[in-house]
């Protein structure tokens, strides 16, 4: 099977990572994107959550660094701040304030900066902007490319390909495309906490030095549903994102935004932004349901067609897992292609094999996100089962101990960062510390030294 041309549907982060991997194995790679990319590190409409707080956990950054060597240094050179977590963060968890251990670190940057930095590295990849894919070109039991047209209308024309990767995100049309080829629709799972964001950028006040770099004030469901985050970004600015579950959405009005911040579980975020200079309008975002398409369970799958990223499994973005899952899936694709290249390059069966891996790649993040979102009474989805309640009771204890114990905090950070599976919290060493450590919580933000 030829490796002349690969097509990626969607210029999302998942699409850019896939294009990078494919460029090592195909003569040509084309990314078809409905939007037109900004010239620099700007926002674009196709990334609906792009103007809100983003978190790329260290494991995800490590994987992206392996695909784009030097990317971390380049982001730092562009002004992306480094935040030690939780050492540099005032973090109010559901169990109380977390002591400021030095467990891990983050680079904090705008989504526009990350995407632009990656796109600059893809000089060998062709970008077909302002075009949309209308369907797949069938070829026996597989696909031979896609049909594309200019966005907004016009006649679709074929774009042949030896491999097609769909990375078009939550709005993916793959179930419809599969149906046209005679394949069954996948089973889908929704868990929707009815959560909405509101965000804006502020200039960091000159001389402001409160002893922390970032704030994270979490909800305490089911009692409270509001969360607030304030993190530094490139350009000497903050990104402030306020969210609420159960339709207690973060508001986009000027006065309402500040009132919402004031109504968080502690006023420290409100006090930080109340006199800060706004740099952007307030923008909202409510497409936050956890949505999983179980392609791995289909009895048959077309050859030469792959789906990854949010098109397979999309998460409530409040947990900051989507980009890391995309990197994990891209790394899995890289491994499969390298193995096939070592065996002569035959692509037969590769797509089916990848699809059976893509779901498990997202399983840990799915368990974390949905387990937390099912704590809200208003969440729409499957009924909360007894084992979920039991696990959540144990996780509550883990969080409380992690607030005061550096080792359990580090173990929890590894799970949240997807570097370890959620089952790591049930290892004997963690169980022992969770059972024996006295979890007396710090009284307030002034009582947080390790």
């Amino acid at each position: 099977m030829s490796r002349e041309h690969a097509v990626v549907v969607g210029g999302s982060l998942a699409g850019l990572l896939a294009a990078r991997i494919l460029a090592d194995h195909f003569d040509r790679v084309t990314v078809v994107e409905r939007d037109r990319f900004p010239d620099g590190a700007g926002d674009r409409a196709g990334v609906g959550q792009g103007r809100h707080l983003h978190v790329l956990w260290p494991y995800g950054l490590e994987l992206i660094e392996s695909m784009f060597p030097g990317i971390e240094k380049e982001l730092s050179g562009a002004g992306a701040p480094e935040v030690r977590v939780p050492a540099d963060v005032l973090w109010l968890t559901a169990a109380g304030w977390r002591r400021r251990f030095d467990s891990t670190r983050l680079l904090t940057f705008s989504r526009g900066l990350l995407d632009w930095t990656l796109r600059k590295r893809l000089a060998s990849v062709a970008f077909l902007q302002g075009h949309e894919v209308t369907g797949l070109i069938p070829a026996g039991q597989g696909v031979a490319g896609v049909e594309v047209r200019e966005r907004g209308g016009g006649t679709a024309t074929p774009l042949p390909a030896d491999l097609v990767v769909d990375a078009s995100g939550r709005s993916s049309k793959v179930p419809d495309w599969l149906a046209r080829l005679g394949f069954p629709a996948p089973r889908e799972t929704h868990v929707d906490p009815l959560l909405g964001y509101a965000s804006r950028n502020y200039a960091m006040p000159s001389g402001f030095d409160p002893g922390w770099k970032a704030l994270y004030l979490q909800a305490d469901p089911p009692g409270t549903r509001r969360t607030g985050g304030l993190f530094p970004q490139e350009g000497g600015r903050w990104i402030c994102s306020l969210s609420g579950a159960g339709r207690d959405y973060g508001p986009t009005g000027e006065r309402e935004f500040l009132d919402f911040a004031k109504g968080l579980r502690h006023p420290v975020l409100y006090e930080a932004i109340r006199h800060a200079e706004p740099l952007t309008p307030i923008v909202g975002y409510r497409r936050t349901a956890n949505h999983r398409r179980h392609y791995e369970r289909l009895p048959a799958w077309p050859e030469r067609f792959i789906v990854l990223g949010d098109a397979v499994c999309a998460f409530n973005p409040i947990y900051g897992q989507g980009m890391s899952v995309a990197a994990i899936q891209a790394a899995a694709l890289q491994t499969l292609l390298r193995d096939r290249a070592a065996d002569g390059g035959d692509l037969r069966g590769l797509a089916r094999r990848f699809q059976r891996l893509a779901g498990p790649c997202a399983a840990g993040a799915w368990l974390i996100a949905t387990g937390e979102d099912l704590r809200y009474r208003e969440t729409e989805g499957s009924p909360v089962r007894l084992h979920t309640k039991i696990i959540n009771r144990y996780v509550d204890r883990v969080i409380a101990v992690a607030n005061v114990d550096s080792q359990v905090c580090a173990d929890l950070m590894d799970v949240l960062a997807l570097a370890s599976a959620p089952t790591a919290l049930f290892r004997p060493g963690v169980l022992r510390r969770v059972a024996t450590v006295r979890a007396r919580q710090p009284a307030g933000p002034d009582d947080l030294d390790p």
Side-chain angles (χ1 to χ4, degrees), residues 78-106:
E82 180 178 288
V83 176
R84 297 174 301 152
V85 180
D88 294 330
V89 184
L90 283 188
W91 188 344
L92 180 58
T93 73
W97 293 97
R98 177 154 294 159
R99 291 195 182 279
R100 294 168 65 178
F101 309 111
D102 195 355
S103 294
T104 188
R105 65 185 185 87
L106 301 172

Side-chain angles (χ1 to χ4, degrees), residues 25-355:
H25 298 274
F26 290 80
D27 296 336
R28 294 184 297 121
V29 178
T30 301
V31 175
V32 182
E33 171 52 48
R34 298 175 76 245
D35 283 347
R36 294 204 174 269
F37 295 117
D39 292 332
D43 301 313
R44 64 182 180 91
V47 184
Q49 212 254 337
R51 291 180 288 178
H52 302 270
L53 175 60
H54 274 69
V55 172
L56 178 58
W57 290 99
Y59 183 55
L61 180 59
E62 176 185 327
L63 291 174
I64 294 175
E65 177 74 21
S66 72
M67 302 171 201
F68 294 85
I71 200 72
E72 181 176 352
K73 183 177 180 181
E74 192 167 348
L75 289 168
S76 296
E82 180 178 288
V83 176
R84 297 174 301 152
V85 180
D88 294 330
V89 184
L90 283 188
W91 188 344
L92 180 58
T93 73
W97 293 97
R98 177 154 294 159
R99 291 195 182 279
R100 294 168 65 178
F101 309 111
D102 195 355
S103 294
T104 188
R105 65 185 185 87
L106 301 172
L107 287 184
T108 55
F109 41 72
S110 68
R111 176 61 183 272
L113 175 63
L114 176 62
D115 287 1
W116 180 55
T117 305
L118 296 180
R119 286 198 305 272
K120 290 190 299 179
R121 295 286 200 93
L122 296 174
S124 64
V125 172
F127 289 91
L128 184 58
Q129 302 179 53
H131 284 70
E132 56 191 2
V133 172
T134 60
L136 302 171
I137 300 173
Q141 295 301 307
V143 303
V146 295
E147 297 281 349
V148 299
R149 69 181 179 190
E150 286 193 49
R151 183 177 179 181
T155 303
T157 59
L159 180 61
D162 302 298
L163 183 69
V164 175
V165 175
D166 182 82
S168 56
R170 288 179 178 267
S171 60
S172 171
K173 305 298 182 187
V174 167
D176 293 338
W177 297 348
L178 290 177
R180 293 182 212 166
L181 299 181
F183 290 88
R187 187 171 73 84
E188 301 189 21
T189 305
H190 286 80
V191 177
D192 188 354
L194 305 172
L195 180 142
Y197 274 98
S199 301
R200 87 181 318 171
N201 286 110
Y202 290 90
M204 292 185 191
S206 177
F208 184 81
D209 185 14
W212 48 260
K213 289 185 178 180
L215 299 173
Y216 189 37
L217 310 179
Q218 289 183 268
D220 181 15
T224 62
R225 298 170 295 190
R226 295 183 176 186
T227 294
L230 185 70
F231 278 73
Q233 290 185 338
E234 70 277 6
R237 60 184 179 177
W238 281 325
I239 174 71
C240 177
S241 287
L242 306 178
S243 65
R247 295 192 176 89
D248 186 16
Y249 302 128
T252 56
E254 293 284 339
R255 179 179 298 176
E256 293 83 359
F257 188 84
L258 287 176
D259 287 344
F260 191 99
K262 194 173 184 178
L264 296 172
R265 292 170 57 209
H266 193 277
V268 60
L269 189 152
Y270 167 74
E271 294 295 338
I273 66 172
R274 62 183 299 197
H275 297 306
E277 177 192 357
L279 299 177
T280 63
I282 303 168
V283 293
Y285 184 72
R286 297 182 182 180
R287 200 176 181 188
T288 60
N290 303 283
H291 181 199
R292 189 172 185 178
R293 298 180 174 100
H294 296 276
Y295 293 121
E296 74 280 4
R297 299 181 183 177
L298 290 180
W301 187 259
E303 294 279 6
R304 301 182 298 279
F305 181 56
I306 282 172
V307 188
L308 50 67
D310 283 1
V312 173
C313 193
F315 308 92
N316 179 349
I318 197 171
Y319 306 110
Q321 298 168 319
M323 294 191 294
S324 292
V325 169
I328 293 169
Q329 291 176 341
L333 177 59
Q334 183 180 48
T335 298
L336 287 179
L337 286 168
R338 284 176 174 172
D339 290 346
R340 292 301 177 93
D343 291 337
D346 193 342
L347 295 178
R348 283 175 293 188
L350 179 138
R352 179 73 179 272
R353 174 64 178 155
F354 175 81
Q355 232 46 67

Side-chain angles (χ1 to χ4, degrees), residues 394 397 401 404-405 408 428-440:
Y394 174 71
R397 173 65 182 174
V401 173
V404 299
D405 185 276
V408 175
V430 180
L431 286 167
R432 183 169 56 254
R433 298 189 74 83
V434 168
T436 59
V437 170
R438 184 184 179 191
R440 182 175 179 273

